Amino acid sequence: MKWSQTHLYTLKEAPSDAEIPSHKLLVRAGLVKKIGPGLYTYGNLALRALRKFENIIREELDSRGCTEVLMPMVQPRELWEETNRWSEMGAGLLKFKNRNDHWFCLGATHEEVITDYARSDIKSYRDLPKNLYQIQTKYRDEVRPRFGLMRGREFIMKDAYSFDVDQAGALKAYESMYQAYKNIFTRLGVDFRIVKADAGNIGGSQTHEFQLLAEAGEDHLLVSDQTDFAANIEICPAIDPEPPAQLNVQAQPVEKFATPGLKTITDLSKKFSISEKELVKTLFFSANEGLDSKDKSLKAFAVLLRGSDEVNPVKLKNLLGMVNPPLMLTEEEVREVSGASPGSCGPVGLKIPVYVDHGVASLKNFICGANEDGFHLKNVNMGRDFQATKIADLRMARAGDKCPESNGRLKSFRGIEVGHVFYLGTKYSQKMNAQYLTKEGQLTPIEMGCYGIGVSRTIQACIEQNHDADGIVWPAPIAPFDVHVCLLDTGDRRALELIQQLGAQLKAQCYEMFVDDREERPGVKFKDADLLGFPVRVVLGKKGLDNNELEVVERRGKAVHKVKAEQLSAQVISVLQKLRQGFA
Ligand code: ATP
Ligand code: MG
């Protein structure tokens, strides 16, 4: 392809809303163009990277017996009512009416549609197992679309769904998809981790996320330094490396003391020279589902943590069996349930459930708020001064905590979630009556799993992990083109001939060539070649051609190979093959 014929415009400056390197590079390299929040046009280069990645996915899934289909983007309300997700999904689901006054939504995910598809055809155990997938545009009305394709409103997803006769079958399908995903991301040549994760509101129990490691990642991962234990912080068990000794100290009488103006744990810790670990903070949440329209009376509860710990809302959600993580109470609501403002609250005298983190359960004679503005209590003891509704693991785990599966310690990483596998069980098939007849003639709900890959997000995540100060450094398997020719003198017949020969040789090996044939200065062409980041650059200029010494430059590491014109194709192909092997 020739630059002069394509639609490609690079930019010197990134737009002001681009915060992370990959977003800046995506826009500067002309890969995408924003038309509204979370909405992008993919240029030809982005589309090529997407198609290459999609084909890697197809190869891995098809070879495991999965079947590709394509479902509608516009979906009738009735299907979503069957699973109750028309309301449960909240505002993320974009809903609208058509001319006949019928409600529809844009597909945010396709469990309902696929289950409907399966139930209409799958009648007997002989029809199972099945694994159907599609690569399609999704729409989620994300609250804060950001970071370009990382969190778009419209984005491309590969979603697959497995159907099996029983749990053993479904777990086998899960294992197979897990392996397929492992292959897919290994083939990309990216640094990724597979972590245990929360099932979110898709439901189900067993679930793993595939996370590309990158500083700009939104997800926080904790990984063992001894075993292959790895978890999203959302669900990672928090285990103190040195659990506090159960001190056999005598419970002292409770004392109230004045703490005017001391509102935070840090204020208290500084003023009284007590470590934050020894202080107790009380947080207030609502157990009402945001979507719950029937019952609006406030169902407040309190959570006690050590002052140095952070609460983990996903652990609260799972403890209370909620659909979404609970929201914190407003200042007025806190006053309503405790009688004081948030900085002066504690568990003593509360009339609402009190959930206590393990870290607090081991404390004796501790300090907490008195439920009276400007006052705290000292020598508070659980059991004597207040009752715990439940003691549980409620804090965020952190680097340095003990690994839940070994004597190792946890290390912390940032990640970008690019894939997710779920075992669903019969959550959808039961609600939607997707049943089959067993060998014994019994009607039984189909066992399901669902498996997503953020296709457009992955493309950007690859750039986030593979770039340098000059631009993108594409992983070879998804590079939009393999070779970038900088044609410095567009009228030089020798160069045009070489390009023809090189193009033919590359085509024979299934490599693709991009020629910068614009009337631009060499400096501009080199800068753009670095920015676009295709794996190999060939420089064809008058000096090199006169001296019969041409340059083949590897984008990653910038190694320069000097070759004679006769060896050009062979040299380029040998570098490309080396790169391809690196990713095999
Ligand atoms: P997240 O926690 O990032 O919102 P999710 O858990 O909602 O993701 P799934 O419903 O499992 O995501 O979707 C499957 C995959 O689709 C995710 O692993 C992710 O790679 C991708 N994805 C989800 N939401 C977006 C989005 N708004 N923009 C781009 N990709 C997305
Ligand atoms: Mg999401």
Side-chain angles (χ1 to χ4, degrees):
M1 181 187 276
K2 291 179 180 161
W3 192 319
S4 63
Q5 292 172 343
T6 185
H7 185 98
L8 174 61
Y9 298 88
T10 56
L11 300 173
K12 284 208 178 62
E13 300 291 333
S16 57
D17 71 339
E19 295 162 52
I20 60 173
S22 56
H23 185 189
K24 291 181 182 162
L25 289 171
L26 265 184
V27 181
R28 284 191 52 220
L31 290 164
V32 300
K33 187 87 77 186
K34 182 172 167 181
I35 67 156
L39 303 172
Y40 291 87
T41 294
Y42 302 102
N44 179 261
L45 297 185
L47 191 62
R48 283 169 171 271
L50 286 167
R51 292 289 177 258
K52 287 191 175 179
F53 182 42
E54 289 172 9
N55 286 335
I56 292 175
I57 296 175
R58 286 194 175 93
E59 281 174 25
E60 290 296 331
L61 297 190
D62 293 353
S63 72
R64 286 180 161 73
C66 304
T67 305
E68 186 170 0
V69 297
L70 188 58
M71 290 175 262
M73 167 105 190
V74 174
Q75 310 178 359
R77 169 182 183 158
E78 291 72 26
L79 275 183
W80 287 77
E81 294 281 15
E82 288 188 43
T83 58
N84 207 27
R85 289 210 297 179
W86 183 258
S87 60
E88 267 180 22
M89 290 284 282
L93 206 57
L94 184 63
K95 303 163 181 172
F96 52 93
K97 275 186 192 175
N98 75 351
R99 66 175 79 201
N100 304 326
D101 236 20
H102 287 148
W103 278 100
F104 294 86
C105 66
L106 287 185
T109 174
H110 280 67
E111 281 80 11
E112 282 76 3
V113 177
I114 198 80
T115 307
D116 178 56
Y117 186 55
R119 73 180 167 189
S120 67
D121 296 317
I122 295 174
K123 302 289 175 216
S124 124
Y125 68 94
R126 285 190 213 94
D127 300 316
L128 296 168
K130 287 269 158 63
N131 192 321
L132 306 176
Y133 77 95
Q134 65 170 350
I135 298 175
Q136 199 222 25
T137 299
K138 298 273 184 274
Y139 187 90
R140 293 181 182 178
D141 223 19
E142 298 277 359
V143 187
R144 215 158 72 82
R146 59 190 178 281
F147 306 144
L149 304 180
M150 293 282 197
R151 186 165 297 284
R153 284 195 168 139
E154 198 178 293
F155 60 97
I156 301 173
M157 195 201 285
K158 186 287 299 170
D159 43 329
Y161 306 86
S162 61
F163 302 91
D164 282 272
V165 288
D166 55 17
Q167 191 187 45
L171 292 177
K172 218 168 115 193
Y174 183 95
E175 181 57 28
S176 170
M177 292 303 274
Y178 182 100
Q179 284 303 328
Y181 277 32
K182 215 168 155 181
N183 284 11
I184 288 165
F185 293 108
T186 304
R187 280 179 65 178
L188 276 188
V190 290
D191 191 8
F192 69 99
R193 294 285 184 284
I194 306 173
V195 305
K196 294 184 167 61
D198 184 57
N201 62 6
I202 300 241
S205 44
Q206 185 167 344
T207 164
H208 287 91
E209 287 170 354
F210 289 69
Q211 296 268 0
L212 243 77
L213 300 188
E215 267 313 303
E218 285 185 323
D219 285 289
H220 195 156
L221 320 176
L222 291 164
V223 178
S224 172
D225 62 3
Q226 279 192 9
T227 64
D228 59 4
F229 174 87
N232 192 309
I233 195 168
E234 288 180 351
I235 56 111
C236 185
I239 304 172
D240 279 329
E242 283 122 26
Q246 282 291 338
L247 293 178
N248 208 1
V249 286
Q250 206 57 37
Q252 303 294 316
V254 174
E255 269 177 52
K256 188 160 87 176
F257 63 111
T259 49
L262 304 182
K263 294 224 165 75
T264 65
I265 287 287
T266 314
D267 292 344
L268 274 173
S269 156
K270 279 197 184 130
K271 172 86 182 173
F272 297 104
S273 301
I274 303 172
S275 94
E276 296 191 2
K277 261 172 86 172
E278 308 299 318
L279 294 166
V280 168
K281 63 181 171 196
T282 310
L283 304 175
F284 294 90
F285 292 86
S286 151
N288 304 68
E289 294 289 358
L291 340 148
D292 199 343
S293 54
K294 287 162 240 143
D295 179 11
K296 277 286 168 213
S297 62
L298 182 63
K299 290 186 235 161
F301 65 93
V303 174
L304 299 195
L305 294 161
R306 285 180 180 244
S308 50
D309 292 337
E310 294 295 327
V311 68
N312 183 327
V314 172
K315 287 180 181 173
L316 292 181
K317 176 201 82 167
N318 292 336
L319 180 75
L320 276 85
M322 294 174 68
V323 177
N324 292 302
L327 296 177
M328 286 190 93
L329 297 195
T330 61
E331 205 165 327
E332 285 100 274
E333 287 169 333
V334 170
R335 189 168 283 285
E336 217 176 279
V337 295
S338 75
S341 55
S344 300
C345 296
V348 182
L350 287 181
K351 303 269 183 303
I352 54 175
V354 178
Y355 296 100
V356 177
D357 180 64
H358 288 309
V360 172
S362 59
L363 286 179
K364 297 270 163 67
N365 295 327
F366 62 77
I367 294 178
C368 61
N371 292 329
E372 187 179 334
D373 280 355
F375 286 92
H376 277 73
L377 300 178
K378 67 167 90 159
N379 300 330
V380 173
N381 287 278
M382 190 171 81
R384 182 191 70 180
D385 305 317
F386 71 95
Q387 299 302 324
T389 309
K390 197 158 198 174
I391 300 168
D393 172 14
L394 300 174
R395 75 163 169 95
M396 288 283 191
R398 58 178 158 246
D401 276 353
K402 191 179 158 308
C403 164
E405 293 181 357
S406 71
N407 283 326
R409 295 292 160 92
L410 296 178
K411 287 190 300 185
S412 152
F413 292 92
R414 303 296 299 196
I416 301 166
E417 181 199 320
V418 286
H420 209 160
V421 291
F422 293 95
Y423 162 64
L424 291 173
T426 56
K427 177 178 157 123
Y428 292 92
S429 52
Q430 263 181 344
K431 285 187 178 154
M432 295 186 66
N433 245 341
Q435 299 180 318
Y436 73 97
L437 275 176
T438 63
K439 241 182 208 160
E440 293 72 34
Q442 199 164 3
L443 261 184
T444 306
I446 303 172
E447 279 271 336
M448 290 174 60
C450 72
Y451 317 90
I453 290 182
V455 178
S456 45
R457 178 185 284 183
T458 302
I459 297 301
Q460 190 179 334
C462 285
I463 298 176
E464 190 60 42
Q465 207 180 70
N466 295 276
H467 68 269
D468 62 18
D470 299 324
I472 302 170
V473 183
W474 283 103
I478 54 162
F481 287 93
D482 302 289
V483 178
H484 186 129
V485 178
C486 291
L487 175 60
L488 302 186
D489 177 358
T490 53
D492 193 321
R493 295 188 58 115
R494 295 170 299 175
L496 296 177
E497 246 169 57
L498 267 176
I499 287 175
Q500 263 203 345
Q501 286 168 13
L502 177 63
Q505 299 277 342
L506 287 172
K507 200 168 172 196
Q509 305 274 337
C510 295
Y511 291 117
E512 291 180 295
M513 180 175 75
F514 181 81
V515 181
D516 183 355
D517 62 341
R518 295 171 303 165
E519 300 295 340
E520 288 285 0
R521 284 179 293 109
V524 172
K525 295 200 173 193
F526 296 150
K527 268 207 154 58
D528 275 339
D530 279 343
L531 175 62
L532 297 182
F534 308 151
V536 174
R537 179 208 303 179
V538 172
V539 184
L540 297 180
K542 183 171 181 317
K543 202 171 129 206
L545 289 161
D546 286 347
N547 301 338
N548 197 12
E549 193 182 62
L550 306 175
E551 265 186 13
V552 174
V553 188
E554 295 182 38
R555 178 63 183 86
R556 194 183 296 273
K558 303 242 173 111
V560 180
H561 308 266
K562 302 268 190 195
V563 291
K564 294 196 186 318
E566 310 82 80
Q567 291 151 4
L568 179 63
S569 301
Q571 177 68 46
V572 169
I573 288 171
S574 119
V575 173
L576 287 172
Q577 278 172 346
K578 183 190 79 181
L579 289 175
R580 209 177 250 183
Q581 269 154 20
F583 287 103

